[in-house]
Amino acid sequence: MITISRAARRAEFPARFQLIGAMNPCPCGYLGSAQKKCRCTPDQVARYQSKLSGPLIDRIDLHVEVPTIAPADLMQAAPGESSATIRARCSAARTFAVARQGKANQALQGQEIDTYLLLDEAAARFLNLAAARLGWSGRSTHRALKVARTIADLAGARTTQVTHVAEAMQYRRTLRSTG
């Protein structure tokens, strides 16, 4: 719940939501594009990307870069999985998580993460080394762990393994610059 108090009034609103956002990699939108050259300076890119604060970025679980695709390639692409197939797989993974721990992976907190993650030893070493090198906060690390547990559930794995952690870490990549 979010409570907003102003003068003599008070209102409460439900606050459980899913945020989905998008942004260009730079002001012109072409940083990293194979179709068109970016015309932004490294300073312009840094200023543009710094509009999102570190604490806000920490609270976003999945960061996915979607590269530009040439129109001809887009038109010739093979069809992907159906939404119904993906929905069924996600539903099964969520049901498995709730049966194991009484709640979805994203709702795990504190000690529950350690209890239900079932992180194997090699995955723990990999995560600790990588998180230290990347300078991740505790919040970033915990969010990546919960995503890794979800990836393991989607794969039907009992434990969270290095491959699951590595994939989750790919979803937490930070914005990149021209320099």
Side-chain angles (χ1 to χ4, degrees), residues 84-177:
T85 301
I86 295 169
R87 181 176 41 250
R89 191 170 59 245
C90 291
S91 239
R94 182 180 174 86
T95 299
F96 183 67
V98 170
R100 178 183 56 238
Q101 62 216 16
K103 57 177 80 171
N105 293 329
Q106 62 85 23
L108 294 174
Q109 295 185 7
Q111 185 62 41
E112 293 174 323
I113 295 170
D114 296 333
T115 302
Y116 296 112
L117 195 68
L118 304 174
L119 189 63
D120 72 23
E121 193 175 313
R125 281 193 310 270
F126 175 76
L127 176 69
N128 287 332
L129 180 65
R133 283 187 180 165
L134 295 169
W136 278 4
S137 68
R139 179 182 293 116
S140 286
T141 303
H142 276 155
R143 288 190 178 271
L145 284 171
K146 291 188 274 186
V147 170
R149 180 65 255 179
T150 299
I151 292 166
D153 288 342
L154 286 166
R158 190 186 78 70
T159 61
T160 306
Q161 301 158 11
V162 172
T163 56
H164 307 132
V165 172
E167 184 177 343
M169 291 180 77
Q170 289 298 306
Y171 295 129
R172 291 212 60 86
R173 292 189 318 197
T174 57
L175 299 171
R176 60 192 166 88
S177 66

Side-chain angles (χ1 to χ4, degrees), residues 36-58:
K36 195 170 179 181
K37 185 171 171 44
C38 175
R39 63 178 190 261
C40 304
T41 66
D43 191 47
Q44 287 173 319
V45 173
R47 251 194 329 273
Y48 178 77
Q49 291 182 356
S50 73
K51 291 179 181 180
L52 294 179
S53 71
L56 176 63
I57 294 285
D58 265 1

